[in-house]
Amino acid sequence: APQQPGASRLDDIIQRGELRVCSTGDYRPFTYRDATGAWSGIDIDMAHDLAGKLGVKATIVPSTWKTLVTDFDARCDIAVGGVSITLERAKQAFFSTSYVVDGKTPITRCENAARFQTLQQIDRPGVRAIVNPGGTNEQFAKQHLKQATIVEHPDNNTIFQQVLDGRADLMMTDAAETRWQSKQHPELCSVHPEQPFTFTEKAYLLPKGDVVFQQWVNQWLNLALHDGTYARISRPWIG
Ligand SMILES: O=C(O)C(=O)C[C@]1(C(=O)O)C=C[C@@H](O)C=C1
């Protein structure tokens, strides 16, 4: 519905006493939902910090990469969890300012790392690149891989095991994820995460048109990035 003059979700959230946060729960270090349903991750903790500073509690609502932009409109006040700013998404929702720069880079079994340094080396017949559907990874793979085989795997929580088990040769995903996953799985190597193929910024997804709420979130985020809040929250995940 169009916004009433002066009306903002900011007031609704405070009156409700609850910030509804959509997240996919499948993308460490940003968002994770374990088998018991417990949530963790940098952006989950950031959402709790945001809620605390609004004086309300956060409720995390499960979502998917395919539906994040639309889901969030109906069920959530904000969507978090390593969401990349894209111009396509920006047609349907607002973004906060960004908090991390990232980009696509390969992760592969370490013995293969030397073979998959460039997109040219990767886009060859016989190379199997695994991809999770619905996000920017899928877009990137489809745009750049014409000769290689794209293997779709719907569950991002088990996708790295597929690479480990040799069911795929590599995955191309954001460097923050390749760093985290290669720490968990020492047999997997992140290929030049400091020089990714793309430039991406991570930000929080917000309701389209609500500049009052967007402005408040941007002020909160700017403070959190400078007063040590973000550093404290991200340190356990990224060292
Ligand atoms: O779509 C995005 O914005 C993301 O960054 C999410 C995305 C993806 O690109 O598919 C990134 C890494 C994870 O492996 C899962 C999802």
Side-chain angles (χ1 to χ4, degrees), residues 24 26-27 65 68 81-86 89 104 131-138 156 159-160 171-174 177 200 202:
T24 61
D26 65 348
Y27 184 13
W65 289 107
L68 202 58
V83 184
S84 305
I85 297 178
T86 71
R89 287 173 177 156
K104 304 301 175 199
V131 76
N132 58 297
T136 56
N137 285 345
E138 181 184 18
N156 206 46
I159 202 163
F160 298 93
M171 178 178 182
M172 292 190 287
T173 184
D174 293 317
E177 186 175 43
T200 305
K202 302 295 186 184

Side-chain angles (χ1 to χ4, degrees), residues 133-147:
T136 56
N137 285 345
E138 181 184 18
Q139 268 180 354
F140 180 78
K142 290 191 170 157
Q143 191 180 342
H144 292 280
L145 302 183
K146 304 296 173 200
Q147 313 290 319

Side-chain angles (χ1 to χ4, degrees), residues 113-197:
R115 290 174 49 209
F116 299 131
Q117 296 285 314
T118 66
L119 274 170
Q120 256 179 337
Q121 287 176 317
I122 291 166
D123 192 20
R124 286 191 179 155
V127 175
R128 296 159 304 157
I130 200 161
V131 76
N132 58 297
T136 56
N137 285 345
E138 181 184 18
Q139 268 180 354
F140 180 78
K142 290 191 170 157
Q143 191 180 342
H144 292 280
L145 302 183
K146 304 296 173 200
Q147 313 290 319
T149 304
I150 297 178
V151 182
E152 280 208 19
H153 186 77
D155 179 7
N156 206 46
N157 284 325
T158 56
I159 202 163
F160 298 93
Q161 191 62 43
Q162 302 286 307
V163 180
L164 263 177
D165 293 347
R167 293 206 189 82
D169 298 305
L170 63 109
M171 178 178 182
M172 292 190 287
T173 184
D174 293 317
E177 186 175 43
T178 68
R179 284 195 172 101
W180 198 89
Q181 292 289 345
S182 60
K183 257 187 221 162
Q184 313 310 308
H185 309 288
E187 310 90 328
L188 291 181
C189 278
S190 176
V191 179
H192 52 64
E194 64 296 327
Q195 277 174 298
F197 296 140

